[in-house]
Amino acid sequence: MCARQAHCRLNVEHLKTHSQFQQVLSGRQLALTEHFALHANEGDNELTDRLAKVTRLTRTGQQALTTGPVTGKPTDTILIGALIPKRWAKRSATRNTIRRQIYEMFRKVECTQQKSALVVRLRAEFKRAGFPSASSEALKRAVCAELKQLLLAVSARGSQHS
């Protein structure tokens, strides 16, 4: 993803308020898979101001807004939101499992092309018949595989526009 991948760290902050989610969802849609859609923030607004503040705090070695102590190394910051409607995931255990998988996937990404705010939205149901429980390993693997597809679609799209 990035030429300096060994030196990059990704600082993941969560979107928290309804207005933050709305700002990102009103932006462009980056990628679609069978179950997920990825939306990105566009323009100057509260989120880009917050993102700049978090990045500035992290780069100076001070404590970031919601993360622990930072080593002072350059960090890419990304704001992530997970939108998992009850319409598509009826059980709370399923919603929480999917949400954790989304946040973990972005934590594992070592470097991003640009600092931004993203929302991953569940847009279709994972059929219960294929998964023995609400938070089964099979569901986790399926979600992880599809999130990887989503990130690959974004990186492929980004390399086409370069």
Side-chain angles (χ1 to χ4, degrees), residues 62-136:
Q62 298 174 9
Q63 190 167 347
L65 297 179
T66 60
T67 59
V70 185
T71 61
K73 295 179 183 174
T75 305
D76 288 328
T77 302
I78 189 167
L79 297 172
I80 298 291
L83 187 61
I84 315 297
K86 287 182 183 178
R87 176 182 182 184
W88 301 123
K90 306 244 186 283
R91 297 177 284 187
S92 63
T94 303
R95 289 192 303 275
N96 290 333
T97 297
I98 293 170
R99 188 174 291 111
R100 284 187 204 108
Q101 291 291 315
I102 290 169
Y103 289 136
E104 187 60 29
M105 180 63 66
F106 281 97
R107 254 184 230 103
K108 287 179 181 178
V109 174
E110 291 183 8
C111 189
T112 57
Q113 297 288 332
Q114 61 183 11
K115 298 164 194 65
S116 61
L118 303 170
V119 169
V120 178
R121 178 177 55 88
L122 182 65
R123 63 186 208 105
E125 180 180 17
F126 281 94
K127 302 291 183 202
R128 282 186 180 189
F131 308 107
S133 72
S135 61
S136 66

Side-chain angles (χ1 to χ4, degrees), residues 4 9 12 16 20 37 41 44 49 78 81 83 93 103 106 110 114-115 125 128-129 131 137-138 140 152 160:
R4 54 190 178 93
R9 270 189 342 155
V12 177
K16 292 183 172 65
Q20 291 173 338
N41 185 37
D44 290 332
D49 294 343
I78 189 167
L83 187 61
Y103 289 136
F106 281 97
E110 291 183 8
Q114 61 183 11
K115 298 164 194 65
E125 180 180 17
R128 282 186 180 189
F131 308 107
E137 287 301 315
K140 290 176 185 176
L152 285 173
Q160 288 174 355

Side-chain angles (χ1 to χ4, degrees), residues 36-51:
F36 294 105
L38 181 65
H39 299 266
N41 185 37
E42 288 186 338
D44 290 332
N45 54 35
E46 166 197 341
L47 290 176
T48 50
D49 294 343
R50 179 176 174 209
L51 189 56

